[in-house]
Amino acid sequence: MSGIPLEDNFEDVLGKALRGTGIPDGVLEFLTGVPEETIARLKEGHLEEDALRRVASPLGLDADALVERALQAWRPEPVEIDGLRQFNTVFDDMTVNNYLVWDPESKEAALFDTGTDASGAIATAVDLGLDLQQLFLTHTHLDHIIDRKTVEEHNAALKTHVNALEPAEGASRFLPGDSFSLGALRITTRLTKGHSPGGITYVIEGLQRPVAIVGDALFAQSMGGGMISYQDALSTNRSELFTLEDHTVICPGHGPMTSVGEEKSHNPFFPEFK
């Protein structure tokens, strides 16, 4: 799945920062000297590098990383780990991911989100002889849970888990900080809210590298929009994700897998790590 495009173009990053900070175009012109007409062109995806660099700092963005995204000059290294598989499913004009995780020894498996079509993950579980026991939801936006029924019908004993701060009918509720076992693997939960009221990151230990399944909290070279709270989204990403080890694999809800270290170097929303 290394060929999955990055979720956001530079204009998406710019738009999220503008909406999140609430800075009007006219105020941004006053702060930077970049005319509103030029700002409007940037928002439409027309690259003017000098102008893009000038508007970055007042929006809390790293100028070099933002230009790098605009030039499409970077993408994360491919990830291949025994016990982790990414599936990319179509949702209208975009795509959404789900992740199959298993203990290579015991073959106990769990699915993280369903995407719009969980059949690929289920077929892989069957082909590999895995025992798909659990479904973990990162948040309850439709594109991440729409095929829940298919997963639950695959195994009548399967248990679905969701953060109590963002409940789903029929799912077992937990609180951030609770942990789970999957064979010899340990799954801990961290609250990464802001995009949704109870967005959860699942940190998995016991594979070749630590893995963080983050939903829409963080993307390769971007992040989910702060639909509930932009500041909470930034803050919880900093405290709950960027404190993980640099080699931790980041499994986002959209776009390719990445790592904590790569996002420290390339994500424009977090200039303090550059």
Side-chain angles (χ1 to χ4, degrees):
M1 286 295 178
S2 60
I4 297 173
L6 273 67
E7 171 66 7
D8 285 342
N9 296 318
F10 84 88
E11 62 268 28
D12 301 311
V13 173
L14 188 63
K16 287 177 179 179
L18 281 164
R19 291 189 296 273
T21 59
I23 298 176
D25 292 359
V27 173
L28 193 58
E29 176 181 3
F30 174 78
L31 293 172
T32 65
V34 177
E36 282 193 63
E37 295 81 2
T38 302
I39 294 170
R41 289 196 295 272
L42 290 173
K43 289 161 65 176
E44 292 172 352
H46 302 289
L47 175 58
E48 298 183 35
E49 183 173 335
D50 179 67
L52 188 62
R53 288 185 176 278
R54 287 159 65 187
V55 302
S57 181
L59 296 173
L61 300 173
D62 182 82
D64 289 341
L66 185 58
V67 170
E68 183 180 61
R69 176 80 287 268
L71 297 175
Q72 300 183 23
W74 173 83
R75 65 173 294 114
E77 292 294 321
V79 175
E80 295 288 343
I81 292 178
D82 187 21
L84 172 67
R85 193 74 60 86
Q86 180 187 43
F87 298 86
N88 188 240
T89 66
V90 176
F91 183 69
D92 292 335
D93 61 348
M94 57 189 284
T95 63
V96 58
N97 300 323
N98 59 45
Y99 295 90
L100 183 65
V101 174
W102 67 94
D103 174 8
E105 294 298 323
S106 71
K107 303 293 186 180
E108 293 179 38
L111 188 64
F112 291 80
D113 289 344
T114 71
T116 58
D117 181 2
S119 62
I122 292 172
T124 298
V126 171
D127 289 345
L128 296 177
L130 305 179
D131 180 13
L132 184 56
Q133 300 179 342
Q134 301 181 77
L135 170 63
F136 292 93
L137 304 179
T138 62
H139 61 302
T140 59
H141 290 174
L142 182 63
D143 52 330
H144 293 262
I145 67 170
I146 195 170
D147 209 21
R148 179 181 161 191
K149 182 178 179 182
T150 299
V151 179
E152 292 173 340
E153 287 180 346
H154 170 71
N155 178 2
L158 181 139
K159 192 169 185 179
T160 299
H161 306 276
V162 70
N163 183 2
L165 299 175
E166 195 171 333
E169 184 177 356
S172 175
R173 302 178 187 183
F174 63 84
L175 293 174
D178 288 351
S179 61
F180 302 87
S181 295
L182 186 67
L185 307 183
R186 184 168 184 261
I187 303 169
T188 56
T189 58
R190 296 184 173 211
L191 181 64
T192 43
K193 64 179 182 178
H195 177 73
S196 74
I200 278 287
T201 287
Y202 298 96
V203 179
I204 303 162
E205 297 173 292
L207 297 174
Q208 294 162 302
R209 292 166 62 183
V211 170
I213 298 179
V214 304
D216 288 355
L218 190 70
F219 304 145
Q221 216 167 33
S222 188
M223 58 180 266
M227 298 169 65
I228 302 299
S229 169
Y230 182 68
Q231 292 305 320
D232 281 351
L234 289 170
S235 176
T236 57
N237 278 342
R238 289 184 171 109
S239 65
E240 304 302 325
L241 299 184
F242 284 96
T243 53
L244 297 170
E245 296 176 280
D246 282 359
H247 69 292
T248 302
V249 176
I250 297 291
C251 297
H254 305 273
M257 291 184 281
T258 179
S259 70
V260 171
E262 287 173 301
E263 293 312 303
K264 284 181 177 178
S265 296
H266 298 282
N267 197 306
F269 284 101
F270 304 96
E272 67 269 32
F273 297 111
K274 307 297 181 286

